[in-house]
Amino acid sequence: MDGLRALGPGQEIVTPAFGEASLDELARVHDPAHLARLEAFCAEGGGDIDADTYATADSWSAARRAAGAGLAALQTLEQRGEGIAFVPVRPPGHHATRDRAMGFCLVNNVAVAAASRTALGERVLIVDWDVHHGNGTQDIFWDDPAVLYVSTHQHPLYPGTGRPDEVGGAAAAGLTLNIPLPPGATGDVVRAALDEEARASIEAFEPDWVLVSCGFDAHRDDPLSNLRLSSGDFAELACIVREFAPRPGRLALFLEGGYEAAALAASVEATLGALLGRPGAASTPTEGGPGLAQLRVDGTARRRAVDTALGRAGA
C-alpha cells in the first residue's frame, strides 16, 4: 500500500465493496472436503498445516475475503469497462491446489477469480511472474481448455514443479506453459520469456481476461530467491502483459509473494505506475544474467511435449 500511495493517483482509485467468497465460488476450484477441513481446522484454533503454512482462528474468514476481493475486482472492471485492478490481499494463493493448502496459501485467489469467468464461457490467461512456480494454479487448470497458464519461475526452488515438459492434460495440451529460470537471471531473460517464448501461444489463445499472479519475490533484494530483477523490470513486464489484454478493463493483478518491504513497495509503485502512465522512480531494468540460451532449449522441449500430449489425445 505504500507503493500505491507513492503514485498519488487521488480520485482515480476505486475501492469496491467486497465480502467473503461463497462456498460455491470456492468449490469451482477446490474440493469441498478440503474447504470443510480448512474451516474446521481454523474453527478449532488453527496451527501448523505444514512446515511453511499455518492458520489461525481468523484465517478461514481472511482467506474467503481475499478470494472475495478478487471476484469484486473483476466485477468492477466489467461494470466500468475500463481501468486495471490490483488485488493486494493476504493470504496469497497460487500454491493452493484443488485439495491442499501449502506454501503460505490457503485458497487460490487467482484461480477462484479465473473460474468465475470461465463459468460464463470466457477464456482466461493467467501470467504468473512470482519467483516460485504456481503449482496450485497449474494443478487446478491442468485439463481446462478455457485457461492458459504461463509461469516464469526460478528453478530449482520451492515447490520443485514447473518443468518445461509440464504442458497440460489431454484436453488442454499446450495450455500450461512453464518457463523455468536459473539463479541469477535478470529482467531481460524474464521479458524474453513472455515477449518471445509465450507471446505466440497467448495470441493464438485469444483471452477474454488477463490475470497476473504478480509476486515480487524475484526482486534482487528479496531473501527467498536468487533472481536479480529490479523494480524497473516489473514495470516493463507489466507493459508486456498489458498488451495481451483484449481491451481496457480486462487486466487484474493479484499480489502473491514479496518478502522485503522496501523492494515490495518499490515494485508495486513501478508496476502500477507503468500501467497508469506514471513511471515514477523505477530502478533501471536489469540485463546480462544467465538463462537466455536455455529459453530456446526449453522451448524445444516444451513443443515436443505438446506434440506428444496431442498424439496421445488423438490415439
Side-chain angles (χ1 to χ4, degrees), residues 124-222:
V124 179
L125 164 65
I126 300 175
V127 175
D128 188 336
W129 70 48
D130 189 279
V131 80
H132 304 95
H133 179 243
N135 61 299
T137 310
Q138 174 174 293
D139 170 76
I140 289 167
F141 297 117
W142 180 255
D143 213 30
D144 189 337
V147 175
L148 171 59
Y149 176 64
V150 177
S151 176
T152 61
H153 48 274
Q154 181 180 324
H155 184 80
L157 194 66
Y158 180 91
T161 51
R163 299 187 312 273
D165 60 357
E166 297 171 16
V167 295
L175 296 184
T176 293
L177 202 164
N178 286 306
I179 308 176
L181 308 169
T186 43
D188 56 335
V189 183
V190 187
R191 292 192 295 275
L194 295 182
D195 204 18
E196 300 174 21
E197 291 296 309
R199 181 178 289 275
S201 296
I202 291 169
E203 291 178 349
F205 181 71
E206 296 182 338
D208 298 299
W209 288 86
V210 177
L211 311 184
V212 182
S213 276
C214 65
F216 294 110
D217 40 7
H219 193 282
R220 58 194 172 195
D221 293 339
D222 197 278

Side-chain angles (χ1 to χ4, degrees), residues 52 140 168 176 186 228 240 272 300:
D52 302 300
I140 289 167
T176 293
T186 43
R228 305 299 301 160
I240 292 171
L272 298 181
T300 299

Side-chain angles (χ1 to χ4, degrees), residues 70 73-74 77 82-88 249-254 272 275:
L74 267 57
L77 285 179
E82 62 179 3
I84 59 169
F86 178 53
V87 188
R250 290 298 176 107
L251 174 62
L253 297 87
F254 291 68
L272 298 181
L275 293 173

Side-chain angles (χ1 to χ4, degrees), residues 170 305 307-315:
D307 291 341
T308 300
L310 290 173
R312 289 178 185 151

Side-chain angles (χ1 to χ4, degrees), residues 109 115 154 235 252 287:
N109 305 317
Q154 181 180 324
E287 58 183 27

Side-chain angles (χ1 to χ4, degrees), residues 1-8 84 86 129 214 216 219-220 229-240 242 251 253 261-285:
M1 296 309 295
D2 287 345
L4 181 63
R5 283 188 286 267
L7 294 170
I84 59 169
F86 178 53
W129 70 48
C214 65
F216 294 110
H219 193 282
R220 58 194 172 195
L229 275 64
S230 70
S231 62
D233 290 312
F234 290 112
E236 296 210 350
L237 292 175
C239 291
I240 292 171
R242 177 176 55 192
L251 174 62
L253 297 87
L264 176 57
S267 298
V268 168
E269 179 185 359
T271 299
L272 298 181
L275 293 173
L276 295 171
R278 300 182 179 189
S283 300
T284 302

